[in-house]
Amino acid sequence: MKKDELKKHLYECLRFEVMMSEKPFSWTRTLHKALKCPDRRFNFWWRIVSFLYHSESKTSKMLAKKINRKLIQKYNTEIQPGTQIGPGLTVSHFLSVVINECTVIGRNFKIRQNSTIGIPGRTDNSTSARIVIGDNVEVGAGSCIIGDDLVIGSNVTIGAMSFINKSIPDNSVVYTEKILVIRGK
């Protein structure tokens, strides 16, 4: 993205996630909400990290990584700086959420605790693998989305404790069937 596009994306995300207002973007309102509302601080700082990381400057990338390390320590949530996420990111519970930078996510994405999105380990150092997630997707607690070149459509709900390694079409509800077996001795 070009610098103007990056700035426009940053402002839209901050307005939607931190200001939570239809009013035009304002740094004063955004900073006020980020300070006043602790539940919005992660989004504020992660959006700054993403903006800095996608900037051309090597210094900006280094600063982005440093801030992101602090976010990981404070929130136990690791969304890598290279991840592309549209406006409307919601992390319901900041505990063990991991999103790899190979991921491109649309608008209004909601993820819950202990969930992972990423690609399996590689030995060929290829960075062409992608996981593309559409708009209005919810990921339940304890879910794993792991694979190369996965596409998860828009308006998808992934149930708790699900393992996803295949693409999912639009307008789907997906879950991994669980069976409880109790055997006596």
Side-chain angles (χ1 to χ4, degrees):
M1 274 194 233
K2 294 177 183 172
K3 192 166 187 169
D4 290 339
E5 291 174 13
L6 278 174
K7 234 186 241 189
K8 184 178 175 186
H9 180 73
L10 173 67
Y11 295 166
E12 181 182 12
C13 292
L14 290 175
R15 186 180 62 77
F16 195 73
E17 297 167 9
V18 180
M19 285 177 48
M20 290 188 175
S21 171
E22 294 298 318
K23 294 179 181 176
F25 175 80
S26 150
W27 277 111
T28 305
R29 279 191 219 113
T30 301
L31 290 170
H32 173 73
K33 290 294 185 177
L35 292 171
K36 182 180 170 186
C37 306
D39 57 324
R40 301 180 196 182
R41 284 187 201 140
F42 176 85
N43 287 57
F44 173 80
W45 284 111
W46 191 82
R47 291 299 181 178
I48 298 297
V49 164
S50 179
F51 174 78
L52 291 171
Y53 187 83
H54 288 99
S55 298
E56 299 292 321
S57 166
K58 189 174 181 180
T59 307
S60 294
K61 281 190 186 225
M62 287 176 23
L63 180 59
K65 289 177 183 180
K66 184 176 182 177
I67 296 170
N68 202 47
R69 281 193 298 275
K70 297 282 186 188
L71 284 175
I72 293 166
Q73 289 173 348
K74 183 171 182 166
Y75 292 95
N76 294 318
T77 295
E78 181 182 355
I79 302 176
Q80 293 182 344
T83 307
Q84 297 174 41
I85 303 176
L89 168 66
T90 303
V91 180
S92 294
H93 302 287
F94 295 103
L95 180 65
S96 297
V97 172
V98 177
I99 304 177
N100 190 284
E101 66 184 0
C102 68
T103 310
V104 177
I105 300 173
R107 302 174 74 86
N108 302 319
F109 178 70
K110 185 172 189 173
I111 189 166
R112 291 175 181 81
Q113 71 274 13
N114 298 319
S115 297
T116 300
I117 301 174
I119 58 174
R122 301 177 139 236
T123 56
D124 63 357
N125 295 326
S126 172
T127 58
S128 63
R130 285 273 179 245
I131 296 174
V132 178
I133 298 175
D135 297 335
N136 307 313
V137 174
E138 289 192 38
V139 178
S143 296
C144 276
I145 301 171
I146 306 288
D148 287 348
D149 300 320
L150 293 182
V151 176
I152 295 174
S154 294
N155 307 310
V156 170
T157 301
I158 297 173
M161 298 174 55
S162 294
F163 178 74
I164 308 297
N165 64 352
K166 292 181 171 62
S167 293
I168 299 170
D170 291 347
N171 306 310
S172 298
V173 174
V174 181
Y175 60 92
T176 300
E177 197 169 322
K178 296 141 193 93
I179 300 172
L180 175 63
V181 177
I182 301 175
R183 296 184 186 186
K185 292 186 177 187

